[in-house]
Amino acid sequence: MKYIVNPIIFRVVLFVLISLLGISNLYSQQNTIAGVILDGAKPVPFANVYLQGTEIGSSSDRNGEFTIENIPDGTYKINVSSIGYNTFYKKVTLDNNKVLTLKISLKTSSEQLEEMVVTGTLKPVKRLESPVPVEVYSPAFFEKNPTPSIFESLQNVNGVRPQINCNVCNTGDIHINGLEGPYTLVLIDGMPIVSGLGTVYGLSGIPNSLIEQIEIVKGPASTLYGSEAVGGLINIITKKTLEASAFSADSFMSGWGEYNLDIGSKIATGSNSNLLLGLNYFKYDNPIDDNGDNFTDLTLQDRISFFQKWSLQRENNRIFSVAGRFFYEDRWGGEMQWTPEFRGGDEIYGESIFTRRWEVLGKYQLPFKENILLSVSYNDHNQNSVYGTTRYLADQRIGFGQLTWDKVWAKHDLLFGGAVKYNYYDDNTPATSGLAGNKEDIVWIPSLFVQDEINFSKKHSLLTGIRYDYDKRHGSIFTPRIAYKWKFTDNDILRLNAGTGFRVVNLFTEEHAALTGAREVVIAEDLKPERSINVNLNYLKKIYSNNGTFIGLDASAFYTYFNNVILPDYDTNPNLIIYKNLDGKSVSKGISANLDMAFPAGLKILLGATLMDVSNTTNGVTQRQILTESFSGTWSISYAFRALDLTFDYTGNLYGPMRLPLLGELDPRQEYSPTWSIQNIQFTYSGVKDFEFYVGIKNLLDWTPNKGNPFIIARANDPFDKNVQFDNSGNAIPTADNPYGLTFDPSYVYAPNQGIRGFLGMRFRLN
């Protein structure tokens, strides 16, 4: 049966609908926002444009142009974001069918592929133009999992692992691609002021608010940076005074009672000068023993650090800056009933470390037509430590001066440089003792280097360089390198790097296993400088889709060959640490990749993975290096709930098994660690002007290294070995009280002892 609509009724209904629509339009004005988004004069395609707190938005086209229509009357906050740029905000009021036309300029951010880097070539270049692969991380990256020090923050960087070397005092070093801490050079503003004795302390107490970015180079960089840049380097770049916030503060506390405060401020000291000030304070004084061994699971710390940087604006934008930092820390760990009056005694075991260091660095661009830069730095590190009854007193002073001439000639981008490094080291261990008694170690190392980047075309460039260092102990040392870059499209880059590295003898003897009294340090021979040869193949790919999605791939294959390697030998004799040059070879090889994805809806994903094989071969026998994982992974997943001004972050890492330092064949602890992971979540609310509030949970899986082990610290019930019986060779004898024949040793460690815990904090920035 068919239904026939009466024509009169149809006309009446149509008239009513049209009338209602007209009335609706009359009382609900529809407005329009249109415009163009630029980076300088260059359009920014596929930028996201939306009205904060609503679902109204659009994206720019290939010409950077956008249009948003049918916007109801009201006051809105326009939000413009794009990968590689700082987010743009603008408040607007719309009414009466208004058409608002905007010209929006975005500023580049430090979380992008186009950021400026200096670490790879000692001169500022765009990351895509650098022939040396440089990874860059901004403070925003580390804010996804807030920590009280850069040392801990690096746990979320692929291929980089903070290694804790002591269950009691929690000191450690930084591993890059599985290589030991002494092979990692740490710089601040390009100056090597963190070295040897000061690594873990130098990476603490730098306010996050004063950091512009952290640049990481994996592989030898001795051609530019000299000794210790054997396995890689970490360069902490502080902010320029003109770019810093007028005032900033960041404070958080954890469920364990940790408290951290960062404060930064910028002060105008004249019409052409500014002063950047920073303060970091960290305190933890709540002893916790969750694993039940009567030892603190986390070292108690009271730390304060002051930082200041003064910059002068000069003619032709020439550089002149002076910075300084003072650091003091009191940390202790040990038996739960330990108090300061037991320091150095044999009643209650404790490890107490007083650290004081100060640093100064400056840069001055000479007033010539040519670009000539003078850079200087100096640091003084004093440490007063007690490990049970063993005292470790040490002083280290490092002075550094460098003059570079940056010259462009035809297709050649040249860099000439000369440097001198002064290293003073003195402690009360065998490292500085000789036939005549204790004698400080003083070394001057002058250097000359030259670098030439030849740009054959827009797609092809070749970087060559060589460095000459003279050490009176070892004579002349040459370190060449070569790098080739093929930029076959604007979004595809292939880099091939080959270079050498070296590390002169600078035996760092804050070796916890020795200082606890469990082992004795033995220097078996006159040590020769370590040498390395590295080849690295890197591929960088960027993909931009029409809907604003971004995908970036950064993948590398690496191979490093070492000779004359100085490794502490724990295996020959469980009572000794024997230092000598390896009679054989050491090899680090593997592949590494980072995948970076960002979607218009507010989802960002960063995934990293590294597969590696680090081994030592001597007398034809190859063995995996101790405390080195075969694979690792990191991730950071963030989602912005824009209408709620809320961001969710899920971060974590995954590590494969590591060979661990056992005390003998009877030691019941696991020889290899299991695969383990630390995972964290965080919620950040930014709906209040100039404020951010964040809350989260660390170590969601509640992973600690005692799981699956009968104990972590050997002989924790007898830390002074009072009930241990020894044979004539000094080896512990199994007894009823000591069935495994062990001595006290807290060096069996591969993961933090902190379990699951909550945290909350607040940030404030006044620009």
Side-chain angles (χ1 to χ4, degrees):
M1 179 179 179
K2 294 183 179 180
Y3 292 93
I4 300 175
V5 178
N6 188 301
I8 297 176
I9 296 176
F10 176 79
R11 291 190 184 100
V12 171
V13 172
L14 183 62
F15 175 79
V16 171
L17 290 174
I18 293 174
S19 298
L20 290 174
L21 183 60
I23 293 172
S24 175
N25 284 336
L26 179 65
Y27 288 97
S28 179
Q29 303 289 345
Q30 301 297 304
N31 306 277
T32 300
I33 300 176
V36 62
I37 304 172
L38 302 172
D39 175 9
K42 181 180 68 175
V44 179
F46 315 125
N48 299 309
V49 186
Y50 72 95
L51 304 183
Q52 192 164 311
T54 74
E55 299 297 325
I56 302 172
S58 180
S59 62
S60 60
D61 60 20
R62 292 185 178 275
N63 298 316
E65 298 175 350
F66 70 95
T67 301
I68 306 176
E69 300 178 327
N70 301 323
I71 307 172
D73 292 351
T75 298
Y76 301 94
K77 191 175 185 180
I78 301 174
N79 184 307
V80 182
S81 61
S82 181
I83 298 297
Y85 296 91
N86 293 323
T87 302
F88 172 90
Y89 298 98
K90 184 177 179 63
K91 197 172 184 179
V92 298
T93 300
L94 304 174
D95 53 29
N96 297 322
N97 293 322
K98 185 174 184 178
V99 177
L100 181 63
T101 303
L102 298 174
K103 182 178 180 181
I104 298 173
S105 295
L106 294 184
K107 294 183 178 180
T108 57
S109 77
S110 57
E111 274 194 311
Q112 56 156 334
L113 294 175
E114 298 287 350
E115 67 273 274
M116 302 298 289
V117 296
V118 298
T119 306
T121 59
L122 265 183
K123 57 176 68 180
V125 296
K126 288 185 177 180
R127 184 185 173 199
L128 286 177
E129 302 302 325
S130 173
V132 179
V134 181
E135 295 183 15
V136 181
Y137 299 90
S138 76
F141 172 82
F142 298 112
E143 287 174 355
K144 299 176 187 296
N145 177 34
T147 61
S149 71
I150 297 174
F151 177 80
E152 295 177 51
S153 296
L154 293 171
Q155 65 184 286
N156 291 325
V157 176
N158 181 32
V160 177
R161 185 171 66 86
Q163 168 63 40
I164 299 174
N165 295 326
C166 166
N167 268 305
V168 180
C169 64
N170 292 163
T171 55
D173 51 36
I174 302 295
H175 290 201
I176 294 182
N177 286 342
L179 299 178
E180 293 285 344
Y183 303 127
T184 300
L185 179 64
V186 182
L187 312 161
I188 297 181
D189 287 337
M191 297 290 98
I193 63 173
V194 179
S195 175
L197 183 60
T199 298
V200 67
Y201 311 104
L203 285 173
S204 301
I206 301 176
N208 191 55
S209 59
L210 300 184
I211 297 174
E212 177 67 24
Q213 61 192 36
I214 295 179
E215 302 179 7
I216 298 176
V217 174
K218 298 174 182 176
S222 291
T223 303
L224 286 182
Y225 296 97
S227 177
E228 297 177 29
V230 182
L233 59 90
I234 300 170
N235 192 6
I236 302 166
I237 309 294
T238 61
K239 288 185 177 180
K240 299 179 178 65
T241 54
L242 293 177
E243 299 173 355
S245 300
F247 180 82
S248 63
D250 187 349
S251 177
F252 73 87
M253 63 183 302
S254 78
W256 273 44
E258 301 162 281
Y259 175 73
N260 188 77
L261 172 65
D262 278 347
I263 295 177
S265 178
K266 179 175 66 176
I267 301 172
T269 55
S271 58
N272 294 317
S273 63
N274 289 276
L275 184 65
L276 194 62
L277 298 174
L279 166 69
N280 171 259
Y281 178 68
F282 175 75
K283 188 175 183 64
Y284 170 66
D285 60 358
N286 180 37
I288 293 177
D289 176 26
D290 281 347
N291 59 22
D293 59 6
N294 194 42
F295 273 73
T296 54
D297 292 342
L298 178 66
T299 304
L300 285 80
Q301 302 171 53
D302 195 351
R303 178 177 71 232
I304 190 166
S305 174
F306 295 96
F307 179 91
Q308 69 172 31
K309 183 177 181 179
W310 177 74
S311 297
L312 178 67
Q313 299 177 42
R314 300 171 59 208
E315 186 179 357
N316 298 322
N317 292 320
R318 291 191 179 98
I319 299 170
F320 185 21
S321 66
V322 178
R325 184 170 75 115
F326 175 78
F327 172 95
Y328 179 79
E329 182 184 69
D330 174 6
R331 68 163 63 194
W332 75 269
E335 294 186 271
M336 293 291 288
Q337 59 270 36
W338 189 89
T339 54
E341 57 264 27
F342 293 107
R343 191 176 197 264
D346 63 355
E347 297 178 54
I348 305 296
Y349 186 88
E351 299 183 4
S352 171
I353 304 172
F354 299 126
T355 304
R356 188 219 70 232
R357 65 179 281 128
W358 57 269
E359 307 154 354
V360 62
L361 61 152
K363 294 187 176 183
Y364 178 74
Q365 189 174 348
L366 275 59
F368 302 139
K369 182 179 179 180
E370 299 291 341
N371 186 3
I372 301 176
L373 181 66
L374 174 65
S375 304
V376 295
S377 69
Y378 185 82
N379 75 79
D380 184 292
H381 183 110
N382 175 267
Q383 189 163 320
N384 182 331
S385 308
V386 171
Y387 302 89
T389 58
T390 304
R391 293 187 179 272
Y392 174 71
L393 308 175
D395 285 289
Q396 185 176 45
R397 301 163 199 159
I398 299 174
F400 181 79
Q402 179 172 275
L403 191 67
T404 56
W405 176 27
D406 186 353
K407 177 69 175 178
V408 177
W409 175 65
K411 293 184 178 181
H412 298 265
D413 192 348
L414 296 160
L415 182 72
F416 301 94
V420 62
K421 185 176 181 180
Y422 165 79
N423 196 336
Y424 171 96
Y425 179 75
D426 187 22
D427 68 18
N428 61 330
T429 76
T432 56
S433 62
L435 296 177
N438 188 72
K439 185 179 181 181
E440 65 273 9
D441 183 26
I442 300 176
V443 179
W444 289 87
I445 303 178
S447 311
L448 294 172
F449 58 90
V450 60
Q451 174 181 276
D452 182 15
E453 183 177 357
I454 308 169
N455 294 294
F456 298 106
S457 65
K458 291 184 178 180
K459 293 186 176 181
H460 300 276
S461 66
L462 181 69
L463 178 77
T464 61
I466 190 168
R467 182 185 184 99
Y468 169 76
D469 292 84
Y470 179 78
D471 186 323
K472 65 180 182 180
R473 299 167 298 180
H474 311 299
S476 299
I477 303 173
F478 291 91
T479 46
R481 77 165 171 175
I482 187 170
Y484 169 69
K485 184 191 70 176
W486 179 17
K487 187 178 179 181
F488 42 97
T489 73
D490 286 340
N491 297 323
D492 295 88
I493 298 176
L494 188 68
R495 299 180 176 99
L496 178 63
N497 279 248
T500 59
F502 75 96
R503 186 171 77 101
V504 299
V505 177
N506 182 16
L507 188 59
F508 167 50
T509 58
E510 191 188 23
E511 184 62 64
H512 190 273
L515 295 171
T516 56
R519 296 176 185 254
E520 178 185 352
V521 172
V522 175
I523 302 173
E525 60 189 12
D526 290 334
L527 300 175
K528 302 174 183 177
E530 298 175 290
R531 303 299 299 263
S532 69
I533 301 174
N534 171 269
V535 178
N536 183 300
L537 181 65
N538 174 261
Y539 174 64
L540 184 64
K541 172 72 174 179
K542 299 187 300 178
I543 301 173
Y544 295 95
S545 68
N546 291 333
N547 67 354
T549 299
F550 167 81
I551 299 176
L553 174 66
D554 189 347
S556 295
F558 57 90
Y559 179 90
T560 305
Y561 178 93
F562 292 86
N563 58 11
N564 292 339
V565 173
I566 304 171
L567 288 176
D569 178 3
Y570 294 89
D571 300 323
T572 300
N573 187 324
N575 296 303
L576 302 178
I577 300 176
I578 303 172
Y579 285 96
K580 62 181 180 179
N581 289 113
L582 182 68
D583 183 16
K585 65 179 181 179
S586 180
V587 173
S588 170
K589 57 186 176 182
I591 57 176
S592 178
N594 287 318
L595 183 64
D596 189 2
M597 297 176 284
F599 303 92
L603 176 65
K604 294 183 179 181
I605 301 174
L606 178 61
L607 305 174
T610 299
L611 296 174
M612 59 186 175
D613 180 13
V614 184
S615 62
N616 304 311
T617 301
T618 181
N619 298 325
V621 178
T622 300
Q623 190 176 32
R624 269 183 59 182
Q625 182 169 292
I626 202 166
L627 291 172
T628 303
E629 65 276 17
S630 57
F631 65 87
S632 65
T634 58
W635 64 86
S636 171
I637 301 173
S638 303
Y639 185 79
F641 300 90
R642 291 166 176 163
L644 302 175
D645 296 313
L646 189 68
T647 302
F648 169 75
D649 296 299
Y650 171 44
T651 59
N653 50 53
L654 177 72
Y655 297 108
M658 309 174 194
R659 190 167 71 91
L660 302 174
L662 298 180
L663 294 182
E665 295 181 358
L666 297 178
D667 195 329
R669 295 173 294 183
Q670 297 173 349
E671 182 180 3
Y672 286 87
S673 67
T675 298
W676 56 282
S677 175
I678 302 293
Q679 302 177 24
N680 322 282
I681 59 170
Q682 176 182 259
F683 290 92
T684 304
Y685 177 71
S686 56
V688 180
K689 183 181 180 182
D690 299 326
F691 284 89
E692 286 184 351
F693 302 90
Y694 55 94
V695 61
I697 300 174
K698 290 180 179 290
N699 198 355
L700 281 168
L701 303 180
D702 196 25
W703 173 258
T704 53
N706 61 296
K707 296 181 178 179
N709 271 307
F711 50 84
I712 293 295
I713 299 177
R715 297 288 294 175
N717 63 321
D718 184 19
F720 297 101
D721 292 336
K722 293 182 178 180
N723 297 318
V724 177
Q725 296 183 26
F726 298 92
D727 60 20
N728 294 331
S729 299
N731 298 312
I733 301 173
T735 62
D737 179 65
N738 186 16
Y740 306 116
L742 305 180
T743 56
F744 174 71
D745 181 27
S747 62
Y748 182 95
V749 59
Y750 60 89
N753 285 318
Q754 281 185 287
I756 188 171
R757 60 202 182 279
F759 67 93
L760 59 89
M762 179 187 71
R763 298 186 187 97
F764 172 77
R765 293 185 180 92
L766 184 63
N767 294 316

